[in-house]
């Protein structure tokens, strides 16, 4: 956990800054920009995620799984795995581009009535998806060089600064809608350019397109790995974005943005997860290569414990203050439909955090076929549930569907790791953290003050002080305690 903890501290700070900028952007967009326009940008992201999953042909998972062998056995200038990734992604994106033209009529039928902007700016999805894919490729390559801080800085801060600037320019009339959408389609090009230059200056853009002996030795395993995981990975991405697509198609881009706005609030709970996952993947891959199951179990337990502690703290603060926040922001009445979404998606985030890095453990192990079957299961649950529940309950139904599918998905992963490797992340401290959160929430919600600002401040102080103080006092989280002890010692230095 040393590499993970040291880098996650820096990346967590970056992520908090980025989330603050993103939160400001989202709030300004909710108050001053047509929800249809903001919903269109969220639709762009959902499509780009699916296109990236289709285009990489499983090569990104292959890179994360097998790069430790290339790092150990070959000098940098003979490592051909990244060259293979670039070739496969290029072929995949050309096929996806053909798909954009092939399915144009279907998109018009599905979105033309409720989401006209999707039809109007349909082909802007191609450059947006391309530059997202390029950043995604080089981001993962950077992670495998144990350099996660800069790409996270670009993704969490740089990208959100771009988005904020574009919304401000659009609001003040400096950009007409067509120019705004065109500019938005190029935001990933900017951060990809910065990442490319960074890797070049660091001397890391050294690889080969010539097939190496390592590739010849691992070829059968790599092909099997790709063929098995690819379909599952695509289904997983589709299942993760089916909520936005189903809402945009059935209810329109405006409610699509309301759902995304509520989801964004609950996403605050998941902030440390992205950083820990990015840093943990190469460490877990190396531990599996060395067959160090004990080290993997330690990462599993500590990641679950620290992530759950953070998740309970944030979910408590969010749900305590959701009404106060909406009163302060004075948003349009359409956003009230998002309050139940915040609750159910918040619970989902807490549950996801409690399972730690279970997905990355299975994905980097020799039992990666399980990743295929579990992703198939996730898709088989999430996709029909989202479509069905949306018809029954509207956007609240999508949130419930996501919570149910995430619970089943997490339980299946937990069971596999427990029965196959005797690995499990929970202890009595897990129960104590949850009970402590409930108790602190009950105390804080007793504060009933009409002024939303004063109520928010007091509830936050009471819940945060009680929960954080108890976690530190009873040492319920090793990572939190170690970080606190380190902070105290640094303050006591003469």
């Amino acid at each position: 956990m040393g590499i993970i903890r040291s880098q996650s501290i820096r990346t967590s700070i970056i992520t908090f800054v980025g989330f603050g900028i993103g939160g400001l952007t989202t709030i300004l967009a909710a108050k001053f920009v047509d929800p249809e326009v903001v919903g269109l940008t969220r639709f762009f992201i959902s499509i780009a995620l699916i296109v990236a999953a289709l285009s990489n042909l499983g090569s990104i998972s292959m890179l994360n799984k097998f790069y430790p062998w290339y790092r150990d056995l070959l000098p940098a200038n003979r490592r051909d795995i990244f060259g293979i990734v670039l070739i496969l992604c290029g072929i995949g994106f050309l096929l996806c581009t053909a798909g954009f033209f092939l399915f144009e009529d279907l998109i018009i039928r599905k979105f033309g009535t409720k989401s006209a902007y999707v039809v109007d700016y349909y082909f802007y999805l191609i450059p947006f998806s391309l530059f997202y894919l390029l950043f995604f490729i080089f981001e993962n390559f950077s992670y495998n060089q144990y350099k996660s801080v800069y790409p996270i800085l670009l993704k969490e801060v740089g990208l959100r600064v771009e988005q904020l600037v574009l919304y401000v320019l659009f609001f003040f009339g400096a950009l007409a809608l067509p120019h705004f959408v065109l500019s938005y389609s190029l935001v990933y090009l900017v951060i990809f350019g910065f990442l490319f230059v960074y890797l070049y200056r660091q001397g890391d853009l050294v690889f080969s397109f010539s097939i190496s002996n390592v590739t010849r030795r691992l070829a059968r395993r790599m092909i099997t790995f790709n063929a098995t995981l690819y379909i599952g990975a695509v289904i997983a991405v589709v299942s993760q974005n089916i909520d936005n697509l189903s809402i945009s198609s059935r209810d329109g881009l405006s409610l699509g943005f309301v759902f995304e706005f509520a989801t964004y609030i609950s996403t605050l709970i998941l902030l440390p997860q992205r950083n820990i996952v990015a840093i943990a993947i190469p460490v877990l891959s190396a531990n599996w290569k060395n067959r160090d199951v004990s080290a993997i179990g330690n990462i599993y337990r500590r990641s679950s414990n620290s992530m759950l502690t953070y998740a309970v703290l944030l979910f408590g603060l969010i749900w305590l203050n959701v009404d106060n926040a909406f009163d302060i922001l004075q948003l349009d009445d359409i956003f009230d439909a998002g309050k139940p979404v915040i609750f159910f998606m918040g619970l989902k985030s807490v549950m996801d955090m409690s399972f730690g890095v279970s997905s990355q453990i299975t994905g980097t192990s020799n039992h990666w076929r399980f990743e295929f079957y579990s992703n198939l299961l996730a898709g088989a649950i999430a996709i029909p549930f989202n479509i069905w529940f949306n018809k029954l309950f509207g956007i609240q139904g999508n949130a419930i569907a996501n919570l149910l599918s995430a619970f089943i998905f997490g339980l299946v992963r937990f069971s596999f790791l427990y029965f196959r490797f005797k690995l499990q992340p929970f202890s009595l401290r897990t129960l104590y953290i949850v009970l402590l959160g409930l108790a602190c929430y009950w105390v804080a919600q007793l504060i009933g003050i009409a002024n939303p600002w004063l109520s928010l401040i007091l509830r936050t102080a009471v819940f945060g002080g009680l929960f954080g103080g108890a976690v530190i006092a009873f040492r319920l989280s090793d990572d939190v305690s170690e970080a606190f002890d380190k902070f105290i010692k640094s303050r006591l230095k003469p």
Side-chain angles (χ1 to χ4, degrees), residues 47-59:
I47 294 298
L49 289 168
I50 295 172
V51 170
L54 288 167
S55 298
N56 80 80
L57 301 177
S59 61

Side-chain angles (χ1 to χ4, degrees), residues 44 114 408 469:
F44 269 42
K114 293 287 187 177
I408 297 171

Side-chain angles (χ1 to χ4, degrees), residues 6-7 55 80 122 184 192 231 286 300 364 368 385:
S6 63
Q7 291 195 37
S55 298
D80 56 317
Y122 175 66
Y184 192 85
F192 164 67
I231 298 174
Y300 191 19
T364 54
W368 38 262
F385 270 32

Side-chain angles (χ1 to χ4, degrees), residues 287-302:
N287 284 332
W288 277 122
K289 175 180 175 293
N290 298 326
R291 301 186 181 185
D292 193 347
V293 179
S294 176
I296 293 169
N298 183 51
I299 294 172
Y300 191 19
R301 288 188 299 273
R302 293 187 65 146

Side-chain angles (χ1 to χ4, degrees), residues 15-53:
T15 303
F16 275 117
V17 173
F19 193 89
I21 298 171
L24 176 62
T25 303
T26 303
I27 291 169
L28 292 176
K31 287 184 69 66
F32 302 115
V33 180
D34 182 357
E36 289 280 323
V37 175
V38 190
L40 177 66
T41 63
R42 298 301 188 264
F43 180 83
F44 269 42
I45 294 171
S46 294
I47 294 298
L49 289 168
I50 295 172
V51 170

